[in-house]
Amino acid sequence: MANIIVIGTQWGDEGKGKIVDLLAEYADYVVRFQGGNNAGHTMVVNGEQFISHLVPSGILQGKTCFIGNGVVVDPEVLLGEIEYLKSKGITIGPDNLKISERAQVIMPYHKAIDHGREKMKGDKKIGTTGRGIGPCYEDKATRRGIRFVDLLDSESFSDKVRTILKEKNFYLTGFLSEQAIDPEELIRNYTRYAEQLAPYVENVSVSIHSGMRENKHVLFEGAQGTHLDIDHGTYPYVTSSNTVSGNAACGSGIGPMEITGVLGIVKAYTTRVGAGPFPTELFDDIGDAIQKKGAEFGATTGRRRRCGWLDTVILENAVRLNSISGMVITKLDVLGGLDELKICTAYEYKGTILNHFPANLDILAACKPVYETLPGWQEDISAIRKFADLPQKAKNYLKRIEELVRTPIDIISVGPGRNETIVLKNCFV
Ligand code: GDP
Ligand code: IMO
Ligand code: MG
């Protein structure tokens, strides 16, 4: 039995979708356990691109997919995504997609509050995806959230909506200068969504657990990245859930002892969308070249991603926080053609070397990366499928990452396609 978690080690968009799609071949179940449609996971199969925001990336391999209790679900977006996948010839329905009855529902007022707060913050904004993620988790924590089980009980759902909208509309109109939301229209729309999604809703914890008892292999698909974690990331420039591997158990309703391995996805350089500290960010032609060659635009919002050198301080942080057993290096092909590559090995703060990621953002902002420089390679490596065939300089770059992070590399990705991959170790076999 192998139950593997795939998580992002940086600030998201490391290529989790591609790797989950690749490994889903060996899994029976694929599970999302946190986040919502702030995620944008890209898969490319036979030249065709698929982007999923809520449906686990195992759907293309025909695996049973679960949306766990830790996910916040916008039902309108989910229904749209189901239609989008069907239109692309993917089999998807209540037989192979299951939604936890305990998952929280994103409501229109969550999106309006997200939008209104960001607008009010001006240049201090977090740069959220505007999908209502933070306000939905906030209601979960204050015990005013609406779960799928509540959505399906139409009478009590209507009562809950009418009650909560009194408060939400007061805040929206009186404080954020946003439009009020009409409870009756909301109830009408969400009742329609509830009817369509009811066949998908079940006790996901029980289903995954019974599968595990039958020796099914489970792949847990993280969203965002370790440094967007609400506790361990660059708070407050983070998302509103725990993105670290520990939450895979809590967010899907299984115990931590079931997990057999954790793969940390590492982009061969670093990117970030939205605001917040980024010590190795590049503001020069090299940063622009990486952004262009890597097509670094957000899969959810289309925003240009900020780009910078690989940072092993954050990778060591990710290894510790997630119990990463193996790394997957993605987008190695993008670095081809650069004369030199830099790797950040530590931070310097007022003359002192810091080896750990500081919690204080003022300290982090004043940190200067300490770099090691390696020669780059000029070859196009995207057609290479064996480690031995990589240019020596690319091998040296990978070996140095393994040494600095003290964790083995299991998989190397050299292109967006499912098969543009070099597998050194498959955690399922
Ligand atoms: P995720 O959010 O972690 O799933 O990552 P995204 O899908 O948001 O962003 C990763 C982007 O890089 C997508 O456009 C992928 O198609 C692409 N990608 C993934 N792996 C590779 C790779 O090895 N090389 C290249 N050139 N592109 C890749
Ligand atoms: P995937 O799963 C990259 C960022 C947003 C913003 C912050 C908070 O594709 O890696 P939120 O809407 O969550 O309240 O925004 O988090 N963010 C992501 N950045 N990839 C993601 O997901 C992200 N999901 C959220 O840009 O800075
Ligand atoms: Mg993404």
Side-chain angles (χ1 to χ4, degrees):
M1 180 188 75
N3 298 319
I4 307 291
I5 304 171
V6 166
I7 48 93
T9 56
Q10 295 153 318
W11 280 283
D13 304 326
E14 296 90 351
K16 298 175 290 292
K18 168 181 166 162
I19 301 304
V20 169
D21 168 65
L22 173 82
L23 293 175
E25 181 184 347
Y26 307 94
D28 299 289
Y29 294 166
V30 182
V31 185
R32 273 282 307 268
F33 56 89
Q34 47 72 229
N37 61 311
N38 47 350
H41 295 181
T42 314
M43 297 148 275
V44 178
V45 184
N46 299 326
E48 193 179 358
Q49 189 187 67
F50 301 81
I51 295 180
S52 80
H53 301 286
L54 276 167
V55 174
S57 301
I59 201 75
L60 301 192
Q61 298 266 21
K63 302 306 163 116
T64 305
C65 291
F66 293 90
I67 294 178
N69 55 276
V71 180
V72 288
V73 181
D74 184 326
E76 187 183 5
V77 171
L78 180 58
L79 286 164
E81 197 162 303
I82 292 170
E83 284 314 308
Y84 155 81
L85 288 166
K86 277 186 186 162
S87 76
K88 289 189 133 254
I90 305 302
T91 304
I92 178 166
D95 287 344
N96 64 349
L97 177 66
K98 321 279 183 185
I99 308 166
S100 166
E101 55 195 5
R102 288 177 166 81
Q104 297 278 325
V105 180
I106 295 183
M107 305 291 281
Y109 46 82
H110 294 137
K111 289 183 267 191
I113 291 172
D114 195 357
H115 180 259
R117 279 189 187 146
E118 285 283 277
K119 205 169 70 186
M120 192 172 251
K121 280 192 187 132
D123 32 326
K124 294 216 165 41
K125 70 179 179 190
I126 288 168
T128 70
T129 59
R131 304 302 196 252
I133 306 295
C136 184
Y137 276 116
E138 181 179 323
D139 277 353
K140 174 182 181 176
T142 50
R143 297 154 295 185
R144 293 175 306 170
I146 291 178
R147 301 167 302 160
F148 268 85
V149 67
D150 308 315
L151 177 65
L152 297 189
D153 180 343
S154 71
E155 212 168 293
S156 98
F157 173 71
S158 305
D159 283 350
K160 282 190 175 111
V161 168
R162 289 188 190 107
T163 307
I164 201 162
L165 265 184
K166 288 191 187 121
E167 185 186 331
K168 299 290 181 189
N169 277 339
F170 179 71
Y171 179 60
L172 276 169
T173 57
F175 187 69
L176 294 175
S177 306
E178 293 286 316
Q179 298 279 317
I181 286 166
D182 174 18
E184 301 315 314
E185 190 187 338
L186 189 164
I187 292 165
R188 261 196 315 276
N189 290 336
Y190 273 62
T191 303
R192 229 179 39 244
Y193 306 147
E195 281 162 12
Q196 292 175 73
L197 289 173
Y200 294 81
V201 179
E202 65 176 36
N203 187 329
V204 158
S205 162
V206 168
S207 307
I208 299 175
H209 189 257
S210 356
M212 285 175 164
R213 289 294 157 270
E214 292 162 17
N215 283 325
K216 298 234 186 289
H217 295 319
V218 186
L219 189 53
F220 295 88
E221 176 176 7
Q224 292 78 54
T226 299
H227 295 82
L228 287 171
D229 182 281
I230 182 96
D231 285 293
H232 302 288
T234 43
Y235 189 90
Y237 297 97
V238 292
T239 192
S240 297
S241 62
N242 283 113
T243 60
V244 293
S245 61
N247 197 25
C250 183
S252 55
I254 54 120
M257 299 299 279
E258 308 289 348
I259 304 301
T260 56
V262 181
L263 281 181
I265 315 299
V266 179
K267 197 179 275 188
Y269 46 95
T270 314
T271 62
R272 176 163 201 168
V273 222
F278 179 178
T280 62
E281 184 167 9
L282 286 164
F283 299 96
D284 58 8
D285 291 351
I286 299 180
D288 284 348
I290 293 175
Q291 195 275 333
K292 234 186 223 141
K293 190 167 177 197
E296 293 295 355
F297 290 99
T300 296
T301 57
R303 290 177 291 177
R304 194 183 152 97
R305 294 177 183 146
R306 301 153 64 192
C307 295
W309 294 120
L310 188 75
D311 182 344
T312 59
V313 179
I314 70 167
L315 297 186
E316 281 208 287
N317 205 33
V319 167
R320 190 185 71 256
L321 292 167
N322 295 293
S323 300
I324 292 175
S325 42
M327 289 188 286
V328 178
I329 308 291
T330 61
K331 304 193 91 159
L332 190 66
D333 53 305
V334 175
L335 293 181
L338 295 173
D339 293 334
E340 289 185 332
L341 301 173
K342 291 193 178 176
I343 301 181
C344 168
T345 57
Y347 298 155
E348 187 196 312
Y349 175 67
K350 294 187 174 169
T352 311
I353 295 294
L354 300 185
N355 290 307
H356 296 295
F357 198 73
N360 182 320
L361 290 200
D362 293 332
I363 295 180
L364 188 56
C367 280
K368 290 198 183 66
V370 177
Y371 285 118
E372 207 174 278
T373 304
L374 277 77
W377 60 93
Q378 303 308 310
E379 299 90 331
D380 175 2
I381 60 167
S382 55
I384 294 178
R385 300 288 175 268
K386 284 196 216 123
F387 184 82
D389 296 340
L390 284 170
Q392 189 55 45
K393 287 172 181 157
K395 287 182 190 161
N396 294 347
Y397 185 68
L398 295 169
K399 285 286 159 211
R400 191 63 189 133
I401 298 170
E402 280 189 327
E403 277 166 19
L404 288 165
V405 185
R406 287 172 285 186
T407 306
I409 294 172
D410 286 0
I411 299 175
I412 301 153
S413 172
V414 293
R418 185 189 280 167
N419 61 355
E420 291 178 300
T421 314
I422 301 169
V423 180
L424 302 172
K425 183 181 166 210
N426 181 342
C427 47
F428 280 107
V429 292

